[in-house]
Short mmCIF file of all heavy atoms in Angstrom, two decimals:
data_model
loop_
_atom_site.label_atom_id
_atom_site.label_comp_id
_atom_site.label_asym_id
_atom_site.label_seq_id
_atom_site.Cartn_x
_atom_site.Cartn_y
_atom_site.Cartn_z
N GLU A 192 45.87 -17.72 12.70
CA GLU A 192 46.95 -18.69 12.81
C GLU A 192 47.86 -18.60 11.58
O GLU A 192 49.07 -18.42 11.69
CB GLU A 192 46.41 -20.11 12.98
CG GLU A 192 45.75 -20.38 14.32
CD GLU A 192 44.39 -19.69 14.46
OE1 GLU A 192 43.65 -19.64 13.45
OE2 GLU A 192 44.09 -19.20 15.56
N GLU A 193 47.25 -18.71 10.38
CA GLU A 193 48.04 -18.69 9.15
C GLU A 193 48.37 -17.27 8.71
O GLU A 193 49.42 -17.02 8.11
CB GLU A 193 47.29 -19.41 8.03
CG GLU A 193 47.05 -20.89 8.31
CD GLU A 193 46.23 -21.56 7.22
OE1 GLU A 193 45.16 -21.01 6.86
OE2 GLU A 193 46.67 -22.60 6.72
N LYS A 194 47.44 -16.36 8.96
CA LYS A 194 47.60 -14.95 8.59
C LYS A 194 47.96 -14.76 7.11
O LYS A 194 48.83 -13.97 6.76
CB LYS A 194 48.63 -14.28 9.50
CG LYS A 194 48.18 -14.19 10.96
CD LYS A 194 49.27 -13.68 11.89
CE LYS A 194 49.63 -12.23 11.59
NZ LYS A 194 50.55 -11.68 12.61
N LYS A 195 47.25 -15.49 6.26
CA LYS A 195 47.44 -15.34 4.82
C LYS A 195 46.56 -14.20 4.32
O LYS A 195 45.46 -14.00 4.82
CB LYS A 195 47.09 -16.63 4.09
CG LYS A 195 48.02 -17.79 4.39
CD LYS A 195 47.62 -19.03 3.61
CE LYS A 195 48.56 -20.20 3.87
NZ LYS A 195 48.12 -21.42 3.13
N PRO A 196 47.01 -13.45 3.32
CA PRO A 196 46.17 -12.38 2.76
C PRO A 196 44.81 -12.90 2.34
O PRO A 196 44.69 -14.03 1.83
CB PRO A 196 46.99 -11.89 1.57
CG PRO A 196 48.40 -12.23 1.92
CD PRO A 196 48.32 -13.53 2.67
N PHE A 197 43.79 -12.10 2.54
CA PHE A 197 42.41 -12.51 2.27
C PHE A 197 41.74 -11.44 1.42
O PHE A 197 41.23 -10.45 1.94
CB PHE A 197 41.67 -12.73 3.60
CG PHE A 197 40.34 -13.43 3.45
CD1 PHE A 197 40.28 -14.80 3.26
CD2 PHE A 197 39.16 -12.70 3.48
CE1 PHE A 197 39.06 -15.44 3.13
CE2 PHE A 197 37.94 -13.34 3.35
CZ PHE A 197 37.89 -14.71 3.18
N ASP A 198 41.77 -11.63 0.13
CA ASP A 198 41.30 -10.62 -0.82
C ASP A 198 39.81 -10.80 -1.09
O ASP A 198 39.40 -11.25 -2.16
CB ASP A 198 42.10 -10.72 -2.11
CG ASP A 198 41.77 -9.60 -3.08
OD1 ASP A 198 41.22 -8.57 -2.65
OD2 ASP A 198 42.05 -9.77 -4.30
N SER A 199 38.99 -10.45 -0.11
CA SER A 199 37.54 -10.59 -0.25
C SER A 199 36.85 -9.55 0.61
O SER A 199 37.29 -9.26 1.72
CB SER A 199 37.08 -11.99 0.17
OG SER A 199 35.67 -12.07 0.19
N TRP A 200 35.77 -8.98 0.07
CA TRP A 200 34.96 -8.08 0.88
C TRP A 200 34.24 -8.83 2.00
O TRP A 200 34.00 -8.29 3.06
CB TRP A 200 33.91 -7.37 0.02
CG TRP A 200 34.49 -6.42 -0.98
CD1 TRP A 200 34.49 -6.55 -2.34
CD2 TRP A 200 35.20 -5.21 -0.70
NE1 TRP A 200 35.15 -5.49 -2.92
CE2 TRP A 200 35.58 -4.65 -1.94
CE3 TRP A 200 35.54 -4.54 0.48
CZ2 TRP A 200 36.29 -3.45 -2.03
CZ3 TRP A 200 36.24 -3.34 0.39
CH2 TRP A 200 36.60 -2.81 -0.85
N THR A 201 33.94 -10.09 1.76
CA THR A 201 33.15 -10.88 2.69
C THR A 201 34.06 -11.73 3.58
O THR A 201 34.96 -12.40 3.08
CB THR A 201 32.17 -11.79 1.92
OG1 THR A 201 31.32 -10.96 1.13
CG2 THR A 201 31.33 -12.62 2.87
N SER A 202 33.80 -11.68 4.89
CA SER A 202 34.50 -12.50 5.88
C SER A 202 35.96 -12.06 6.03
O SER A 202 36.31 -10.93 5.72
CB SER A 202 34.37 -13.98 5.55
OG SER A 202 34.80 -14.77 6.64
N GLY A 203 36.81 -12.99 6.50
CA GLY A 203 38.17 -12.66 6.84
C GLY A 203 38.27 -12.07 8.24
O GLY A 203 37.26 -11.85 8.92
N GLN A 204 39.49 -11.85 8.70
CA GLN A 204 39.74 -11.27 10.01
C GLN A 204 40.78 -10.16 9.90
O GLN A 204 41.59 -10.13 8.95
CB GLN A 204 40.20 -12.36 10.99
CG GLN A 204 39.11 -13.37 11.31
CD GLN A 204 39.58 -14.51 12.18
OE1 GLN A 204 39.83 -15.61 11.69
NE2 GLN A 204 39.66 -14.28 13.47
N LEU A 205 40.76 -9.26 10.86
CA LEU A 205 41.70 -8.14 10.85
C LEU A 205 43.08 -8.65 11.27
O LEU A 205 43.23 -9.27 12.33
CB LEU A 205 41.21 -7.07 11.82
CG LEU A 205 42.11 -5.84 12.00
CD1 LEU A 205 42.27 -5.07 10.71
CD2 LEU A 205 41.55 -4.93 13.11
N ASN A 206 44.08 -8.36 10.46
CA ASN A 206 45.45 -8.74 10.76
C ASN A 206 45.93 -7.94 11.97
O ASN A 206 45.94 -6.69 11.94
CB ASN A 206 46.33 -8.44 9.55
CG ASN A 206 47.76 -8.94 9.70
OD1 ASN A 206 48.22 -9.24 10.82
ND2 ASN A 206 48.49 -9.02 8.60
N PRO A 207 46.33 -8.60 13.05
CA PRO A 207 46.83 -7.85 14.22
C PRO A 207 47.98 -6.90 13.89
O PRO A 207 48.15 -5.88 14.58
CB PRO A 207 47.26 -8.94 15.19
CG PRO A 207 46.43 -10.13 14.81
CD PRO A 207 46.29 -10.06 13.32
N ASP A 208 48.74 -7.22 12.85
CA ASP A 208 49.83 -6.34 12.45
C ASP A 208 49.30 -5.00 11.91
O ASP A 208 50.07 -4.04 11.78
CB ASP A 208 50.70 -7.00 11.38
CG ASP A 208 51.40 -8.25 11.88
OD1 ASP A 208 51.55 -8.39 13.12
OD2 ASP A 208 51.80 -9.10 11.05
N CYS A 209 48.01 -4.95 11.61
CA CYS A 209 47.41 -3.74 11.05
C CYS A 209 46.58 -2.97 12.08
O CYS A 209 45.89 -2.01 11.70
CB CYS A 209 46.53 -4.11 9.85
SG CYS A 209 47.44 -4.73 8.43
N TYR A 210 46.63 -3.38 13.33
CA TYR A 210 45.82 -2.70 14.35
C TYR A 210 46.10 -1.18 14.36
O TYR A 210 45.17 -0.37 14.41
CB TYR A 210 46.11 -3.27 15.74
CG TYR A 210 45.40 -4.55 16.08
CD1 TYR A 210 44.54 -5.18 15.17
CD2 TYR A 210 45.59 -5.17 17.32
CE1 TYR A 210 43.90 -6.36 15.48
CE2 TYR A 210 44.95 -6.35 17.65
CZ TYR A 210 44.12 -6.95 16.73
OH TYR A 210 43.47 -8.13 17.05
N ALA A 211 47.36 -0.80 14.36
CA ALA A 211 47.70 0.62 14.43
C ALA A 211 47.18 1.37 13.21
O ALA A 211 46.62 2.47 13.32
CB ALA A 211 49.21 0.80 14.58
N ASP A 212 47.37 0.78 12.01
CA ASP A 212 46.87 1.43 10.80
C ASP A 212 45.35 1.55 10.81
O ASP A 212 44.80 2.57 10.38
CB ASP A 212 47.32 0.64 9.56
CG ASP A 212 48.74 0.95 9.16
OD1 ASP A 212 49.33 1.90 9.71
OD2 ASP A 212 49.29 0.23 8.29
N TYR A 213 44.68 0.50 11.30
CA TYR A 213 43.22 0.55 11.28
C TYR A 213 42.70 1.56 12.30
O TYR A 213 41.71 2.26 12.06
CB TYR A 213 42.64 -0.84 11.55
CG TYR A 213 41.18 -0.98 11.15
CD1 TYR A 213 40.66 -0.32 10.05
CD2 TYR A 213 40.31 -1.76 11.90
CE1 TYR A 213 39.33 -0.45 9.67
CE2 TYR A 213 38.98 -1.91 11.54
CZ TYR A 213 38.49 -1.25 10.43
OH TYR A 213 37.17 -1.37 10.07
N ALA A 214 43.37 1.68 13.42
CA ALA A 214 43.00 2.72 14.39
C ALA A 214 43.20 4.11 13.78
O ALA A 214 42.35 5.00 13.95
CB ALA A 214 43.81 2.56 15.66
N THR A 215 44.27 4.28 13.05
CA THR A 215 44.50 5.55 12.35
C THR A 215 43.41 5.81 11.33
O THR A 215 42.99 6.96 11.12
CB THR A 215 45.88 5.55 11.69
OG1 THR A 215 46.89 5.35 12.68
CG2 THR A 215 46.14 6.85 10.95
N TYR A 216 42.95 4.75 10.67
CA TYR A 216 41.85 4.85 9.71
C TYR A 216 40.62 5.45 10.38
O TYR A 216 39.98 6.37 9.86
CB TYR A 216 41.57 3.44 9.18
CG TYR A 216 40.41 3.26 8.24
CD1 TYR A 216 40.62 3.21 6.86
CD2 TYR A 216 39.11 3.09 8.70
CE1 TYR A 216 39.56 3.00 5.98
CE2 TYR A 216 38.05 2.89 7.83
CZ TYR A 216 38.28 2.84 6.47
OH TYR A 216 37.23 2.63 5.60
N PHE A 217 40.27 4.95 11.57
CA PHE A 217 39.13 5.49 12.32
C PHE A 217 39.35 6.98 12.64
O PHE A 217 38.44 7.80 12.48
CB PHE A 217 38.92 4.73 13.62
CG PHE A 217 38.07 3.49 13.50
CD1 PHE A 217 38.61 2.30 13.02
CD2 PHE A 217 36.74 3.51 13.88
CE1 PHE A 217 37.83 1.15 12.94
CE2 PHE A 217 35.95 2.37 13.80
CZ PHE A 217 36.50 1.19 13.32
#
Side-chain angles (χ1 to χ4, degrees):
E192 289 73 38
E193 297 177 310
K194 294 174 66 172
K195 293 181 179 179
F197 192 78
D198 186 20
S199 173
W200 294 112
T201 301
S202 192
Q204 292 175 259
L205 177 63
N206 186 344
D208 296 339
C209 293
Y210 280 0
D212 279 350
Y213 197 35
T215 301
Y216 176 98
F217 274 80

